[in-house]
Amino acid sequence: MSSTVYIPISDQGFCALGMRVLKKRPLLVFGLIILILMCLMAVFAPYIAPHDPYEQSLENRFLPPSTEYPLGTDQFGRCVLSRAIYGSQPSLIIAVVSTILVVIIGLLVGLCAGYYRRVDGLLMRITDIMLAFPSMVVTLALVGIMGPGVPSIILALALPGWAKYARVVRSSTMSIKNRGFVESARALGAKNRYILFRHILPNVLAPVMEIATLGLGSKIIMIAGLGFLGLGIQVPTPEWGNILNQGLPLLYKAPLIALSAGALIMAFVLATNLIGSEIRDLMDPMSDSVKI
């Protein structure tokens, strides 16, 4: 029989735990609220946006903010708010999918390198090569070769991004694989695959979660940068980077075009940075605030 003991938590217990988190980690809660709201905005964009982001009305060009157009209109008479809301969809999808890819690749490479000494040298030399090139330079080169588009942008962001995860996971794996609970599992006849994914993997996820959360903000900035340079999502599809590109020349005439996309990028990066820094503090054993 299993010796695991499940302790039921009442509704009052959940409420008390939530209040303790809210009291001791307000920045974490604030970041989570922003991130959740932005994700909901992307998912329910068709229901939130007041207008079709592609609908042009040249007689309504450069209208000021009003009840019908809360942030005014752009040079083609399109609703600025609707385009900013819809622009969150490709940005968030690319950022999340590329982050998941780099985490999976980094975990696999780091676990194999840290556990199997025979392949450690080869995998780490490949990792060193990837770390030797700035990520943005590699991304620009890959997008330039493959052309703009969602699949090529995801691949261009994922290929140079996994190396830092592999380094962290390898270091953690090497320190964990000789601990007592791993040696006990090995002595009981557990296979290497079972040890890797059942005993070692759960113990290396904490630093990976921190890097991945912070990396989401970096991915959004890189995606917006590609769109701003004309290498990302192409117009007329709304995306924060190409909205910035179109709004910059009109900054004095219609500043809300660029400011709307810039504000959303800033809010998302702020949320991920707050969550990542709070996760780092929570996972730090030397921190006095690890207890909630």
Side-chain angles (χ1 to χ4, degrees), residues 12 18 29 32 35 38 52 56 68 83 92 108 122 129 143 170 191 194 212 219 239 244 259 263 269:
Q12 292 81 1
V29 176
L32 286 172
L35 186 61
M38 298 197 73
D52 183 350
Q56 299 184 14
E68 185 178 2
R83 290 185 62 78
L92 295 186
L108 293 176
L122 175 62
I129 293 173
V143 173
R170 172 185 177 268
K191 295 183 178 180
Y194 180 87
K219 293 285 190 302
E239 186 271 326
L244 281 172
L259 291 178
V269 175

Side-chain angles (χ1 to χ4, degrees), residues 8-22:
I9 302 177
S10 63
D11 293 340
Q12 292 81 1
F14 277 118
C15 293
L17 179 61
M19 290 302 296
R20 287 198 297 270
V21 173
L22 181 61

Side-chain angles (χ1 to χ4, degrees), residues 3 20 34 44 47 68 86 96 120-121 135 145-146 165 173 180 190 209 214 216-217 227 231 249 262 267 278 280 290:
S3 59
R20 287 198 297 270
I34 296 176
F44 296 104
Y47 306 98
E68 185 178 2
Y86 271 88
V96 171
D120 181 32
S135 297
I145 293 171
M146 295 182 292
Y165 294 90
T173 301
M209 288 172 54
L214 294 172
L216 272 175
L231 296 174
E278 290 296 303
R280 180 184 57 217
V290 293

Side-chain angles (χ1 to χ4, degrees), residues 94 98 102 139 152-161 219 222-223 226:
I94 294 173
S98 60
V102 297
T139 301
S152 60
I153 296 173
I154 291 174
L155 188 60
L157 290 173
L159 285 180
K219 293 285 190 302
M222 294 180 72
I223 295 165
L226 291 173

Side-chain angles (χ1 to χ4, degrees), residues 6-234:
Y6 296 94
I7 303 176
I9 302 177
S10 63
D11 293 340
Q12 292 81 1
F14 277 118
C15 293
L17 179 61
M19 290 302 296
R20 287 198 297 270
V21 173
L22 181 61
K23 182 179 179 180
K24 293 199 172 185
R25 293 288 172 184
L27 293 179
L28 176 61
V29 176
F30 181 65
L32 286 172
I33 290 174
I34 296 176
L35 186 61
I36 292 171
L37 288 177
M38 298 197 73
C39 292
L40 291 175
M41 178 183 68
V43 172
F44 296 104
Y47 306 98
I48 299 174
H51 297 278
D52 183 350
Y54 301 98
E55 182 182 357
Q56 299 184 14
S57 178
L58 296 180
E59 63 271 15
N60 292 326
R61 297 169 68 244
F62 298 119
L63 289 180
S66 61
T67 304
E68 185 178 2
Y69 299 100
L71 295 182
T73 59
D74 63 7
Q75 68 271 34
F76 298 106
R78 299 174 299 192
C79 178
V80 172
L81 177 61
S82 299
R83 290 185 62 78
I85 292 174
Y86 271 88
S88 63
Q89 291 181 333
S91 299
L92 295 186
I93 290 173
I94 294 173
V96 171
V97 174
S98 60
T99 300
I100 292 173
L101 282 178
V102 297
V103 168
I104 292 174
I105 297 172
L107 281 173
L108 293 176
V109 173
L111 287 172
C112 293
Y115 193 80
Y116 300 106
R117 300 297 297 172
R118 291 175 295 179
V119 297
D120 181 32
L122 175 62
L123 292 177
M124 284 302 100
R125 297 299 76 77
I126 297 174
T127 303
D128 292 338
I129 293 173
M130 299 304 299
L131 290 172
F133 297 95
S135 297
M136 193 62 183
V137 174
V138 178
T139 301
L140 286 172
L142 292 174
V143 173
I145 293 171
M146 295 182 292
V150 174
S152 60
I153 296 173
I154 291 174
L155 188 60
L157 290 173
L159 285 180
W162 58 266
K164 57 185 176 182
Y165 294 90
R167 275 289 184 188
V168 172
V169 174
R170 172 185 177 268
S171 177
S172 300
T173 301
M174 293 181 68
S175 65
I176 293 172
K177 71 177 184 178
N178 293 322
R179 292 187 181 179
F181 65 93
V182 176
E183 294 290 347
S184 300
R186 192 178 292 115
L188 291 172
K191 295 183 178 180
N192 290 331
R193 183 182 300 178
Y194 180 87
I195 293 173
L196 276 172
F197 292 100
R198 186 61 183 262
H199 294 289
I200 296 180
L201 178 60
N203 289 284
V204 302
L205 288 179
V208 171
M209 288 172 54
E210 174 197 341
I211 301 174
T213 306
L214 294 172
L216 272 175
S218 301
K219 293 285 190 302
I220 287 291
I221 294 176
M222 294 180 72
I223 295 165
L226 291 173
F228 185 81
L229 296 174
L231 296 174
I233 304 299
Q234 300 296 293

